[in-house]
Amino acid sequence: MTMDTHIDILSEGIASGAVVMTDAVRKLTIGGITRLYPVYKVRLDYLYYNNQNDRIATWISQYKVDNDGQVPDPNNREEYNRVIESFIVESNPKAIKATTQNIREVDQREPAVVLYDGRIIDGNRRFTCLRQLAQENERFNYLETIILDKSVGSNVKQIKMLELSIQHGEEGKIDYHPVDVLVGLYVDIVETHLLSIEEYARSTNQKPSAVKKKIDVAKLMVEYLEFINAPQQYHIARELELNFPLEELLKMLKKCQSDEDAESLKICVFSNIMMRTSSDLGRFVRKIKDVISSPYYDDFIAEQTALSYKVLESLPPVGQVNSETLRQTIKNNAELSNELSRSMDKALAKVQHNETRTRPISILENASSLIGTVSPEMLVTLNSDETSVLSEQIDQIDEMLQRIRKAIEI
């Protein structure tokens, strides 16, 4: 079905019988004002997925790579919905199956939210499940939803803030993948300047400081994709679950003494992520923390940097990188991946050996600090029995120290 995305589904739908008012209502807060909105039954072919949705935007990045930069056109509603539906199902097939079964048994329980032109702001999963169920039974060919008028969603910024408010700002919402959230943050605040940090924070019920931190992580995600010659291919970041390792990397970068040190560390981590040297990327990044604070870090980072240049040389050029070519690159450079792993293992072994060797010093330093907190004033109130116990403890400590002294004098 081809349909202009600027139609008013309420007036045209009611006239054609495709939209019917129900007795139900849904409470919704928009612009700080909470009120009850009537719920309608809207025929599915009058509706379409919101391409400004963060989750959908991530998957569209993959579609562009697979289709020579083309994106599905919302005006060709049926084809557009078919493409986006496959993304929604793939993003969480277990949730889709569970929701589909629930709707089949008890019908749709929670009304969705759509704009006057049929754009779905809240209810993508329910819409997806109903589309699938409608192929089996015509009674599922309607979505129960409130319809917001033109004054609510008349421009891109209003639509985005409304979607954020509903999907992220309400209690109990929503199971978005962390990478999808990072993509939305980066696109809306950094890339397009659609929203300010304060507007995003207000719409999602977060502190601006929390949003700023996520933006820093999102920038690292973008840098990583550029590093592997796959700019804006956000689905790759999603496949790798990059949010946690990049959060750990951000903490370490803030402790770097110079921009040069920070850049070297980023290249090291990016190369290991690219070559999949660990099945647990977050754990791998945490291992680097142990090396950073050791005397072996400079040698480690120099060795890793040299290997990183080989990683970069192994990559296809921009425009030829996708998930499959990355897998092939890793397969063709297995020895390089092993070299990166051995470099890390060697540095960790040195750190652990040094920790074992210097452990007696650390123990005595801690003991000395504790004993130093005992002042003469603290002893005045002790009775004779307590003084006797304290004297025995001092004798035991003295004996142990004598044994240690004899051992180091041999």
Side-chain angles (χ1 to χ4, degrees):
M1 177 181 181
T2 300
M3 182 180 289
D4 183 359
T5 55
H6 295 93
I7 67 166
D8 187 335
I9 65 169
L10 189 56
S11 59
E12 294 192 20
I14 289 177
S16 68
V19 177
V20 180
M21 181 182 286
T22 72
D23 294 330
V25 293
R26 175 179 172 177
K27 184 181 290 186
L28 191 65
T29 302
I30 299 177
I33 300 174
T34 301
R35 72 178 181 88
L36 294 175
Y37 290 83
V39 174
Y40 298 85
K41 289 181 65 175
V42 181
R43 204 171 67 201
L44 298 185
D45 60 353
Y46 269 63
L47 304 169
Y48 69 103
Y49 292 104
N50 177 20
N51 54 3
Q52 290 180 235
N53 176 279
D54 294 342
R55 179 191 290 135
I56 292 173
T58 304
W59 289 97
I60 285 179
S61 73
Q62 181 174 358
Y63 184 89
K64 289 176 67 176
V65 172
D66 297 338
N67 293 272
D68 298 322
Q70 300 298 311
V71 296
D73 182 7
N75 286 307
N76 187 353
R77 192 158 294 190
E78 185 52 41
E79 175 62 16
Y80 171 85
N81 282 339
R82 184 190 63 77
V83 171
I84 303 302
E85 178 184 330
S86 67
F87 295 161
I88 299 294
V89 173
E90 188 176 348
S91 70
N92 197 335
K94 289 184 179 179
I96 290 293
K97 183 178 180 180
T99 303
T100 299
Q101 184 61 29
N102 184 261
I103 293 175
R104 181 185 285 114
E105 293 176 355
V106 298
D107 290 329
Q108 181 187 341
R109 310 294 289 183
E110 179 71 15
V113 178
V114 306
L115 296 185
Y116 70 94
D117 65 349
R119 183 193 296 264
I120 298 172
I121 300 301
D122 177 42
N124 286 315
R125 183 179 297 165
R126 280 158 283 172
F127 179 52
T128 299
C129 297
L130 286 165
R131 280 172 55 85
Q132 296 185 346
L133 286 168
Q135 296 177 27
E136 306 171 4
N137 191 323
E138 182 67 20
R139 77 181 181 89
F140 293 109
N141 198 33
Y142 290 84
L143 176 73
E144 293 187 6
T145 181
I146 67 174
I147 302 173
L148 303 180
D149 61 33
K150 294 182 181 180
S151 66
V152 175
S154 59
N155 62 48
V156 173
K157 184 170 183 175
Q158 285 178 323
I159 292 172
K160 187 62 185 183
M161 291 184 71
L162 177 61
E163 190 240 0
L164 288 173
S165 177
I166 294 174
Q167 297 290 348
H168 299 280
E170 291 189 2
E171 186 177 356
K173 296 279 187 177
I174 187 161
D175 58 347
Y176 269 49
H177 192 286
V179 170
D180 294 337
V181 175
L182 294 179
V183 172
L185 269 169
Y186 185 81
V187 172
D188 295 332
I189 298 178
V190 180
E191 188 175 78
T192 65
H193 305 289
L194 179 66
L195 302 176
S196 67
I197 290 175
E198 291 71 23
E199 287 171 330
Y200 189 98
R202 188 166 60 250
S203 297
T204 56
N205 196 27
Q206 297 182 73
K207 293 182 179 179
S209 58
V211 175
K212 289 177 183 178
K213 181 180 177 181
K214 289 179 182 177
I215 289 174
D216 288 339
V217 177
K219 288 179 178 178
L220 284 178
M221 175 189 67
V222 171
E223 284 189 63
Y224 171 74
L225 293 175
E226 292 173 348
F227 176 84
I228 64 172
N229 292 342
Q232 296 186 326
Q233 293 193 46
Y234 301 119
H235 58 282
I236 293 176
R238 196 183 201 279
E239 291 169 6
L240 290 173
E241 304 276 351
L242 276 187
N243 50 294
F244 183 68
L246 293 182
E247 287 171 5
E248 293 295 306
L249 173 58
L250 180 63
K251 295 174 187 176
M252 292 190 293
L253 290 173
K254 290 182 177 180
K255 296 180 181 179
C256 288
Q257 300 299 312
S258 67
D259 291 343
E260 184 178 352
D261 290 342
E263 194 63 26
S264 296
L265 178 58
K266 276 192 288 189
I267 289 174
C268 164
V269 173
F270 287 172
S271 297
N272 281 272
I273 291 174
M274 153 68 199
M275 297 304 294
R276 313 290 201 277
T277 57
S278 173
S279 58
D280 186 342
L281 294 174
R283 187 165 177 264
F284 160 77
V285 176
R286 288 195 299 271
K287 286 180 180 179
I288 296 181
K289 288 182 181 179
D290 297 332
V291 181
I292 285 180
S293 57
S294 76
Y296 312 108
Y297 178 67
D298 289 343
D299 289 341
F300 165 76
I301 207 70
E303 189 172 57
Q304 287 277 317
T305 300
L307 293 170
S308 296
Y309 286 123
K310 294 182 181 180
V311 171
L312 290 171
E313 291 171 358
S314 72
L315 283 166
V318 174
Q320 297 181 28
V321 176
N322 55 41
S323 298
E324 181 55 38
T325 58
L326 286 174
R327 282 190 285 270
Q328 193 61 44
T329 299
I330 296 168
K331 182 179 179 181
N332 294 340
N333 294 275
E335 181 53 34
L336 177 55
S337 179
N338 290 335
E339 285 187 69
L340 286 165
S341 294
R342 286 196 293 269
S343 172
M344 170 62 79
D345 292 341
K346 182 171 62 178
L348 284 173
K350 288 180 180 179
V351 170
Q352 291 164 359
H353 174 73
N354 187 61
E355 288 177 348
T356 301
R357 183 172 58 82
T358 59
R359 182 169 173 75
I361 297 174
S362 299
I363 292 173
L364 288 177
E365 285 177 344
N366 291 335
S368 177
S369 297
L370 287 172
I371 292 172
T373 63
V374 179
S375 64
E377 291 78 12
M378 298 169 62
L379 308 178
V380 174
T381 59
L382 296 180
N383 58 38
S384 58
D385 290 338
E386 291 169 335
T387 301
S388 177
V389 172
L390 179 61
S391 179
E392 290 177 7
Q393 290 293 325
I394 292 173
D395 290 341
Q396 289 179 19
I397 292 172
D398 187 57
E399 184 180 337
M400 287 186 282
L401 290 174
Q402 290 299 324
R403 287 202 304 268
I404 295 173
R405 186 175 295 281
K406 287 180 180 179
I408 63 177
E409 289 176 351
I410 294 176

